[in-house]
Amino acid sequence: MPERQRSDARRNYRRILAVAEEEVAARGAGASLEQIARTAGVGSATVRRHFPTRRALLEAVSRTRIEALCARARELTGRGDSRAALLEWLDAVLAYSVSARGLASALAYDGPVRENSCAAVLEDAGDPLLRRAVRDGAVAAGVTVADLITLIVGIVLATEEHPDPAAQADRLLRLAVAGLESAELGEGEGAGERSGRQGAGREQEQGQGREQGLS
């Protein structure tokens, strides 16, 4: 490609991305690609050439924020209490996702095959924080950074129409965090199975008590 064409392509990319950031901030993940093209003064085909999918556009718009969250994870790794460090990072991910419309959608899983560079980068950044918290017994074994990101995405998407989404999202994260410290479920054991096993244990204890009372 001649240098002039490459220069034009770079200029178009920057213009489209700048407009996309404004549109996503105003309208969220559902921002119209056609409107972005019109505002940027390019054709829809040009937009799709630079960003073949809506996810590609959202990831590009979110890249600066993702890099900031990764930097924050590096700052917190090895610092102070492992539980507090992990929660501080999760708070940052939640706050960014609430305030930056489109970020939660960029982090969401949208199919059986995971091809999400934003989530993958965050998982790599947060993994040392989580491993340290698990090692210290602050978080149940078996929890993954992917679990935590999925949890935050769900909270953000569920509260985005709430009158005070930031406060409600924070409240729900606090409720969820309490469960991170719970005892780990056995492999393949769901809540119903655990409840049934606990109920059977109680019945056995009651039966033993009745036998002792009859003797």
Side-chain angles (χ1 to χ4, degrees):
M1 178 186 295
E3 179 57 33
R4 180 177 178 179
Q5 287 182 297
R6 286 196 294 269
S7 178
D8 288 345
R10 287 192 295 268
R11 184 167 55 252
N12 284 339
Y13 178 90
R14 290 192 295 269
R15 175 61 179 158
I16 293 167
L17 185 57
V19 171
E21 288 173 349
E22 295 176 358
E23 288 292 317
V24 171
R27 296 173 175 78
S32 167
L33 298 183
E34 286 71 23
Q35 181 59 46
I36 290 171
R38 284 194 294 271
T39 304
V42 299
S44 296
T46 301
V47 172
R48 296 183 187 282
R49 184 161 57 249
H50 287 288
F51 305 104
T53 64
R54 182 177 296 277
R55 176 173 295 282
L57 179 66
L58 291 174
E59 290 197 356
V61 167
S62 303
R63 185 166 295 125
T64 300
R65 296 181 178 93
I66 294 294
E67 291 172 353
L69 289 170
C70 290
R72 186 61 182 143
R74 290 190 293 270
E75 291 172 2
L76 291 168
T77 299
R79 180 185 299 180
D81 178 77
S82 60
R83 178 183 183 277
L86 176 62
L87 292 184
E88 185 171 342
W89 184 67
L90 293 178
D91 283 341
V93 176
L94 181 72
Y96 265 103
S97 298
V98 170
S99 64
R101 300 190 67 180
L103 179 56
S105 294
L107 294 174
Y109 295 88
D110 64 350
V113 178
R114 180 173 168 275
E115 295 180 351
N116 186 334
S117 62
C118 280
V121 169
L122 271 190
E123 286 178 29
D124 289 342
D127 189 60
L129 288 170
L130 178 60
R131 282 191 285 108
R132 181 166 167 251
V134 171
R135 186 174 61 248
D136 291 347
V139 175
V143 176
T144 67
V145 182
D147 293 334
L148 301 178
I149 291 174
T150 301
L151 174 66
I152 288 174
V153 167
I155 288 174
V156 172
L157 295 179
T159 59
E160 61 184 358
E161 300 301 329
H162 192 275
D164 189 349
Q168 182 66 2
D170 183 71
R171 176 179 179 274
L172 293 177
L173 180 61
R174 299 297 153 212
L175 291 174
V177 162
L180 295 179
E181 299 169 349
S182 306
E184 181 184 10
L185 289 176
E187 184 177 355
E189 179 183 24
E193 292 172 313
R194 179 177 60 172
S195 176
R197 177 169 52 78
Q198 292 173 340
R202 286 193 296 270
E203 290 177 2
Q204 183 177 6
E205 291 173 358
Q206 292 169 357
Q208 290 173 347
R210 286 193 294 271
E211 290 175 0
Q212 290 173 355
L214 292 173
S215 61

